[in-house]
Amino acid sequence: MDKVLSLNIRLVNKLLKDNALTSTHLTSKCLERINNTKKYNAFITVTSDLAKKHADESTERYKENKSLSEIDGITIAIKDNFCTEAIRTSCASKMLEKFIPTYNATIYERLKNAGAVLVGKTNLDQFAMGSGTVDSIYGPTKNIWGDEKDCYITGGSSGGSAIAVATGSCFAGIGSDTGGSTRNPASYCGLVGLKPTYGLVSRLGLIPLVNSMDVPGILTRNVDDCVSILNEVAGHDPKDSTSLRNPYKKIRLPPGDKMTIKNLKIGIPREYHCEGLSDEVLETWNEIACCLENAGAIIKDVSLPNTEYSIVCYSILNQCEVASNMARYDGVEFGFRADENTSTEKLYAKTRSLGFNEVVRNRILTGNYFLLTRNYEKYFNQALKVRRLISEDFDHVWESVQILLTPTTLSTAPKYNDFIGKTNRDQCAVQDYCTQPANMAGIPAVSIPIKLSKNNLPISLQLMGRNLSEPMLLAVAKFIEHIVQFSHNTKYIKI
Ligand code: GLN
């Protein structure tokens, strides 16, 4: 692989500015890389022509010394559940297989306006429901890591964006994160995965799964790249009513070796020592806690007592919002329409049974059940109350610590055959255990790769902080990155 594809964004930007590299060349290298790594199935649509056009425009800007930002000419990939004008946005589903949006999601609009070059739209679990990137009408995305090639899942649902970045096909991938969909694949694919504070990055144009929890996420090979992207996409969007109004201050992190975490209070939540936590992940968690303590941090044992109710509560709220969000796909207004004209009811039924997979259909059915007048109080309202308790657990914990350190996932990436043997419900219970509480509370969280397991799969840890603590969270992530030197110690993207 071309070395330039493994550099960080700031260095590439410097080369572009010095005219030692052009965006046209960089983009052609990325497109070549996409072509050579097709077997991992990261992309649903490769936007070669558009990418070349945008790259040429960027090249011209650099020539005239008029570059737009640090990410001008930098290649990116976007999960196929973000609307992109005139580019198919399928949600990996039959329902939206032919859907061509007429507008751009704000996140893409901002990246484009900053000069970034979109190389393609990436694979996911249908409508972002899942944790494996295995439930796509385009087939599963495959992990690049592991002793036995091609047999481990990438995690999900943003596995396509993760593998696009991990293979060096682009510098940043945009994912979405409702219960862990950015952090989970980041953890399994050896990447940095940021779930920003709810409302910090606009949701406009992100096809909704659970409106009250969805956030766009960022996948990169290192913390600095994540910051470069976040700085361009964060900030108020008047077109998203849940977007935060606080003006966004750009984050600037010092070099890793100039950082200190002296007296930083780090909490280790007891409840994350849960059933199913693998020995290797536990060991890694302890090791890093020790390293941070040796570097001057104060490590405290803390409790988030309602964690055990989180998955069931999430699952109810998720299904209720899914039932409501999916109601728009009826074969009349959006997307796929079945060939059925005997009655409107039959048209709806056939459209939805052919247009959605089993996971989506199950969630619609259970969600509607929870929302029945006779069940509403017992399930939906009750789950909202539990969600409040989970959120309050975090508020209490911030009284004694500034940041939490936990695993991102309980184990390394499962094998495809083991994973698909389980139901979607079981998978969520195992896969989202550590990631999903942050979505319930709206707080920011980041997954950082630490090292490889015995069978060469990435092991990652997660940091969580209070709302809008991204500057501190990413600074500590960078500190850890500097200690562990993951990309230096591994055969990173040398596939
Ligand atoms: N695995 C969870 C689900 O299926 C989370 C998905 C996500 O974050 N998009 O709902």
Side-chain angles (χ1 to χ4, degrees), residues 128-131 157 177-181 209 314 318 363 428 432:
M129 296 185 206
S131 309
S157 57
D177 195 313
T178 306
S181 276
L209 173 59
Y314 168 80
N318 178 301
R363 290 195 193 190
C428 283
D432 305 341

Side-chain angles (χ1 to χ4, degrees), residues 319-360:
Q319 285 155 23
C320 291
E321 290 202 39
V322 163
S324 143
N325 276 328
M326 297 292 138
R328 76 192 72 181
Y329 306 109
D330 53 15
V332 177
E333 270 180 294
F334 295 99
F336 171 74
R337 176 187 293 202
D339 184 15
E340 170 64 69
N341 46 24
T342 42
S343 77
T344 311
E345 283 73 20
K346 280 192 182 151
L347 168 69
Y348 286 177
K350 196 163 175 196
T351 296
R352 290 154 76 84
S353 57
L354 293 174
F356 293 134
N357 70 356
E358 205 187 316
V359 175
V360 179

Side-chain angles (χ1 to χ4, degrees), residues 50 92 152 186 212 214 222 231 269 278 284 295 300 325 358 387 396 410 416 445:
L50 185 83
Y152 295 94
S212 70
D214 294 342
N222 56 66
N231 280 343
S278 79
T284 309
K300 286 190 173 190
N325 276 328
E358 205 187 316
R387 179 177 184 180
H396 294 145
L410 301 181
Y416 177 79

Side-chain angles (χ1 to χ4, degrees), residues 44 80 88-94 96-97 99 124 127 138:
I44 290 177
D80 212 21
R88 169 175 62 170
T89 298
S90 70
C91 279
S93 69
K94 184 171 175 62
L96 293 182
E97 200 181 356
F99 173 53
L124 65 151
F127 285 96
Y138 304 98

Side-chain angles (χ1 to χ4, degrees), residues 221-352:
R221 289 186 292 265
N222 56 66
V223 177
D224 278 337
D225 287 358
C226 177
V227 171
S228 300
I229 298 292
L230 182 67
N231 280 343
E232 297 302 330
V233 299
H236 181 60
D237 177 9
K239 292 187 197 150
D240 170 2
S241 62
T242 56
S243 159
L244 296 172
R245 290 182 173 274
N246 322 32
Y248 176 75
K249 283 204 207 86
K250 291 203 177 193
I251 301 173
R252 293 267 166 256
L253 299 180
D257 56 353
K258 300 264 174 333
M259 296 180 106
T260 165
I261 54 159
K262 210 160 178 44
N263 295 329
L264 181 80
K265 296 192 195 94
I266 303 178
I268 306 285
R270 205 166 300 157
E271 293 75 11
Y272 284 60
H273 289 91
C274 62
E275 205 190 309
L277 183 64
S278 79
D279 292 345
E280 278 184 304
V281 173
L282 177 62
E283 259 169 44
T284 309
W285 189 14
N286 290 337
E287 261 168 47
I288 295 299
C290 254
C291 279
L292 296 175
E293 191 160 38
N294 291 339
I298 302 159
I299 305 288
K300 286 190 173 190
D301 174 32
V302 296
S303 172
L304 297 159
N306 292 292
T307 306
E308 63 173 304
Y309 309 115
S310 198
I311 286 295
V312 58
C313 173
Y314 168 80
S315 144
I316 294 171
L317 294 174
N318 178 301
Q319 285 155 23
C320 291
E321 290 202 39
V322 163
S324 143
N325 276 328
M326 297 292 138
R328 76 192 72 181
Y329 306 109
D330 53 15
V332 177
E333 270 180 294
F334 295 99
F336 171 74
R337 176 187 293 202
D339 184 15
E340 170 64 69
N341 46 24
T342 42
S343 77
T344 311
E345 283 73 20
K346 280 192 182 151
L347 168 69
Y348 286 177
K350 196 163 175 196
T351 296
R352 290 154 76 84

Side-chain angles (χ1 to χ4, degrees), residues 393-467:
D393 279 354
F394 285 104
D395 294 341
H396 294 145
V397 118
W398 305 137
E399 287 164 16
S400 58
V401 295
Q402 292 151 287
I403 214 164
L404 293 168
L405 176 72
T406 71
T408 311
T409 46
L410 301 181
S411 66
T412 51
K415 281 191 175 159
Y416 177 79
N417 287 335
D418 296 339
F419 186 80
I420 56 160
K422 296 196 186 114
T423 66
N424 192 261
R425 235 183 106 81
D426 292 343
Q427 284 162 18
C428 283
V430 184
Q431 301 292 326
D432 305 341
Y433 185 85
C434 301
T435 48
Q436 173 278 318
N439 300 79
M440 299 276 256
I443 58 174
V446 61
S447 178
I448 322 136
I450 306 293
K451 64 177 185 187
L452 290 184
S453 67
K454 282 190 211 86
N455 52 354
N456 279 319
L457 289 163
I459 302 178
S460 303
L461 293 178
Q462 173 180 240
L463 295 170
M464 292 184 270
R466 64 171 80 214
N467 276 336

